[in-house]
Amino acid sequence: MGEFDLIARHFTRPVRRAVLGVGDDCALLAPTPGHQLAVSTDTLNEGRHFLSTVAPEALGHKCLAVNLSDLAACGATPRAFTLALSMPRVDDVFLDGFARGLLALAERHDCELVGGDTTAGPLAITVTVIGEVPVGQALLRSGARPGDDLWVSGTLGDARLALEVFRAQVPAAELGAADAFDRVRRAMEWPEPRVALGQALRGVASAAIDVSDGLLGDLGHVLARSGVGACVEADRLPCSAVLAAQPDERRRELGLAGGDDYELLFTAPPARAEAVRSAALSAAVPVTRIGRIEGLPGRRVVDREGRALDRPWPGFDHFAPESDR
Ligand code: ADP
Ligand code: MG
């Protein structure tokens, strides 16, 4: 099967809201009046962002999910995406599963595949998403103010715990219940982007980011852009029952610095706490208050007694020396 048959078979669907989709030199979209476009790109490389053993369907899901998570962090509504796929050979079984996982998530978020590029090379997937947000209402990293509460959605740390088991850094037996590994593996392979929550937080949150590289690392981006500091209460971080059963030190480290969580980390003035809770309710996603924004730059992490925990907990940096990871 050649490149064009492959595209026609796996990645061409009837256009819906797009004016023109796959098959021409460009896709055409008509922006909704009064809206700004929100655009974001993420690449997934084999061995770096996913294990070679991952099911194709999960990979298809995840490569769109991590991009939708960026739209969620801006409070944007997904519209369309493009897919640049590099793969060593045409493998129909792989492509079938991959397209199924990808397009099922796209369907759920009404986000159309409108174009892309297909090349031979090492397995790598780049998705570019396009969303829309009413003019001036996008959630940004720069809006946090001293006194704001610090909130996070869902739970943190499971995806990294699964990775540590895959890497044989944590024995599966230490996870407890028989199905515990399956549960954390699901968090790693099938993240659910918090799109509805991001939209519900427009006009409520003062700043937002999605947690992809670890809570503290991503919090650092908000603090830097906002010119503020923060205090994080490590033992308030929401975690699954599997993580809750882990020793304190491991639980804190995975929650604070694990990464691959795709939850929303956001700030809001204390007076908006009820509005935050109703946004969470409307999006059917739990949210937890985990700390406070402070005027003094820098970030403090404290335990349940308020004692400082001052390990360095690096965020994930692809170009950091190996020894830092
Ligand atoms: P061009 O020569 O203009 O780069 P291509 O031959 O690469 O166009 O692609 C032909 C059409 O198929 C274009 O509309 C492109 O957007 C689309 N396309 C290519 N690869 C993919 C893919 N993986 N998923 C969706 N659409 C794709
Ligand atoms: Mg091309």
Side-chain angles (χ1 to χ4, degrees), residues 5 7 13 18 50 63 65 72 74 77 88 143 172 184 199 201 210-211 232 260 265 268 276 280 295 297 307:
D5 296 330
I7 296 164
R13 296 290 180 279
F50 59 91
C63 70
C74 286
T77 305
V184 294
Q199 291 175 61
L201 287 172
D210 68 317
V211 181
V232 177
D260 236 14
L265 173 67
V276 167
R307 283 185 306 238

Side-chain angles (χ1 to χ4, degrees), residues 46-291:
E46 182 168 17
R48 169 67 68 176
H49 301 96
F50 59 91
L51 305 171
S52 318
T53 51
V54 68
E57 200 172 345
L59 185 59
H61 171 95
K62 189 166 176 178
C63 70
L64 180 59
V66 303
N67 277 278
L68 291 176
S69 180
D70 285 314
L71 290 183
C74 286
T77 305
R79 279 285 312 266
F81 70 105
T82 62
L83 168 70
L85 187 58
S86 158
M87 59 196 165
R89 74 196 74 80
V90 176
D91 173 344
D92 255 320
V93 174
F94 170 84
L95 284 167
D96 260 333
F98 178 82
R100 204 175 328 113
L102 177 82
L103 296 174
L105 182 64
E107 181 83 23
R108 276 205 278 132
H109 290 281
D110 204 11
C111 190
E112 279 180 87
L113 176 57
V114 294
D117 197 23
T118 305
T119 54
L123 185 57
I125 304 146
T126 299
V127 167
T128 299
V129 279
I130 301 163
E132 288 186 325
V133 61
V135 173
Q137 290 187 36
L139 301 176
L140 305 178
R141 298 176 178 185
S142 53
R145 296 294 170 257
D148 283 358
D149 289 325
L150 188 58
W151 298 83
V152 72
S153 65
T155 62
L156 299 167
D158 279 357
R160 181 57 182 265
L161 181 56
L163 182 62
E164 294 301 312
V165 174
F166 273 117
R167 285 176 170 170
Q169 300 296 310
V170 172
E174 287 182 20
L175 265 48
D179 67 340
F181 177 61
D182 290 339
R183 283 192 271 155
V184 294
R185 178 179 184 171
R186 199 172 163 79
M188 173 176 148
E189 296 184 342
W190 295 88
E192 195 57 51
R194 303 307 192 184
V195 173
L197 179 63
Q199 291 175 61
L201 287 172
R202 291 200 309 251
V204 176
S206 49
I209 191 169
D210 68 317
V211 181
S212 52
D213 297 337
L215 179 96
L216 290 183
D218 289 315
L219 172 63
H221 298 308
V222 171
L223 302 183
R225 299 282 289 198
S226 300
V228 294
C231 178
V232 177
E233 297 171 57
D235 296 321
R236 282 184 187 259
L237 296 197
C239 66
S240 68
V242 177
L243 211 62
Q246 294 294 305
D248 273 1
E249 184 68 4
R250 180 181 285 162
R251 192 197 69 245
R252 285 177 186 144
E253 174 152 357
L254 291 169
L256 289 166
D260 236 14
D261 299 298
Y262 305 104
E263 294 297 347
L264 294 186
L265 173 67
F266 58 96
T267 60
R272 304 307 309 276
E274 271 316 302
V276 167
R277 295 208 182 280
S278 47
L281 209 60
S282 75
V285 178
V287 294
T288 308
R289 205 189 68 80
I290 58 164

Side-chain angles (χ1 to χ4, degrees), residues 160 213-217 253 256-258 299 311-317 320 323-325:
R160 181 57 182 265
D213 297 337
L215 179 96
L216 290 183
E253 174 152 357
L256 289 166
R299 121 215 133 191
R311 291 216 19 222
W313 288 300
F316 193 89
D317 176 346
S323 60
D324 290 2
R325 286 192 221 128

